[in-house]
């Protein structure tokens, strides 16, 4: 395991489970001190060098306070990994405005709020942001209008910040996973009465067709490291060929 994060501090949203938990563990194993944000308790088997903070990413004040606490605890901030997200599957005409707002608030607005709070500290360290979007954010995705719109917004936000903060030495990139074995995937209730013509849409070419969270975490760790100095603005698909 490389130690690309010795002496560095990373902030990971959605760190209680899935890709976020795997990312926090990967960064810790590479030498980082890690602050994990989540609305659920964050625990990595009591490992040292981990601080868990409960935070609702929809709440502007909570996000600002959590980032401030992270910097106070770590003394600096070198990487923000925005992993937190929610998904839902439904026919577009069945999506309520409340559900639309919830999905955009957590996936997109929460990512923006975390970036906005963290960027002044990342400018100071010439650090990096890695956002987690989705294959659904770069191509059409069945029964996922709100989720796709939110993740496409994350891709656009990533590219915009990459341009704006390049003169300050801050790199911004994102990963777009396809199907990953996480609680989000396992708990997703399929939309009823699905059109059978869409059954094979965006199917991975590899076997097994579902990625492990650790595989996505490895990509995040790379993009956030100095080895990815020239990858600012990158949108990396990790979809097993589903988007080919």
């Amino acid at each position: 395991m490389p130690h690309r994060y010795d002496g560095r501090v990373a902030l990971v949203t959605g760190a209680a489970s899935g890709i976020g938990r795997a990312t926090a563990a990967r960064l810790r194993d590479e030498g980082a001190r890690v602050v994990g944000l989540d609305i659920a308790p964050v625990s990595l088997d009591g490992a040292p060098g981990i601080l868990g903070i409960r935070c609702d990413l929809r709440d502007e004040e909570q996000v600002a306070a959590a980032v401030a606490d992270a910097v106070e605890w770590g003394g600096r901030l070198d990487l923000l990994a925005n992993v937190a997200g929610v998904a839902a599957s439904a026919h577009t005409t069945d999506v309520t405005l409340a559900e639309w707002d919830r999905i955009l608030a957590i996936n997109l607005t929460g990512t923006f709020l975390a970036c906005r709070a963290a960027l002044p500290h990342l400018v100071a360290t010439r650090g990096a942001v890695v956002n987690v979007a989705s294959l659904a954010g770069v191509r059409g995705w069945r029964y996922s209008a709100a989720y796709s719109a939110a993740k496409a917004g994350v891709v656009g936000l990533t590219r915009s910040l990459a341009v704006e903060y390049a003169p300050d030495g801050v790199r911004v990139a994102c990963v777009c996973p396809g199907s990953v074995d996480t609680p989000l995937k396992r708990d997703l209730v399929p939309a009823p009465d699905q059109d059978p013509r869409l059954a094979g849409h965006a199917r991975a070419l590899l076997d097994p067709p579902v990625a492990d969270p650790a595989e996505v975490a490895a990509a995040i760790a790379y993009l956030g490291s100095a080895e990815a100095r020239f990858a600012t603005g990158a949108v990396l698909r990790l979809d097993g060929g589903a988007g080919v």
Side-chain angles (χ1 to χ4, degrees), residues 10 13 19 43 72 77 83-84 88 99 103 107 123 129 144 156 171 177 196 199 229 232-233 236:
T13 73
I19 296 171
S43 173
E72 182 178 4
L77 184 62
V83 187
E99 180 69 351
I103 292 174
N107 290 288
V123 167
V129 177
S144 298
R171 295 174 294 102
R229 183 187 71 84
T232 196
L236 176 61

Side-chain angles (χ1 to χ4, degrees), residues 163-177:
V163 172
E164 182 176 351
Y165 283 89
D168 297 306
V170 176
R171 295 174 294 102
V172 188
C174 75
V175 295
C176 293

Side-chain angles (χ1 to χ4, degrees), residues 64-221:
V67 171
D69 289 346
V71 173
E72 182 178 4
W73 176 78
R76 57 187 290 150
L77 184 62
D78 299 276
L79 171 64
L80 168 63
N82 280 306
V83 187
V86 294
S89 180
H91 295 271
T92 300
T93 52
D94 294 333
V95 177
T96 66
L97 181 58
E99 180 69 351
W100 172 272
D101 288 344
R102 182 183 76 91
I103 292 174
L104 265 70
I106 296 172
N107 290 288
L108 179 55
T109 304
T111 297
F112 162 73
L113 291 175
C115 287
R116 190 181 67 178
L119 278 164
H121 307 289
L122 296 171
V123 167
T125 59
R126 298 178 73 84
V129 177
V130 181
N131 296 321
V132 174
S134 170
L135 178 60
V138 293
R139 62 163 300 167
W141 199 262
R142 62 197 184 279
Y143 309 116
S144 298
Y147 181 72
S148 293
K151 290 303 189 179
V154 171
V155 173
L157 175 65
T158 297
R159 288 171 166 156
S160 180
L161 293 180
V163 172
E164 182 176 351
Y165 283 89
D168 297 306
V170 176
R171 295 174 294 102
V172 188
C174 75
V175 295
C176 293
S179 185
V180 184
D181 184 16
T182 65
L184 183 148
K185 173 180 170 55
R186 293 192 293 270
D187 296 341
L188 188 64
V189 178
D193 302 319
Q194 296 195 22
D195 190 323
R197 292 172 295 182
L198 303 179
H201 181 68
R203 178 172 293 168
L205 302 178
L206 301 181
D207 188 23
V210 179
D212 188 275
E215 295 177 277
V216 184
I220 293 171

Side-chain angles (χ1 to χ4, degrees), residues 2-6 8 26 30-31 218 221-222 225-227:
H3 268 238
R4 295 175 291 196
Y5 288 90
D6 284 345
R8 302 191 180 276
R26 174 69 185 234
E30 288 207 31
Y222 163 69
S225 75
E227 291 182 355

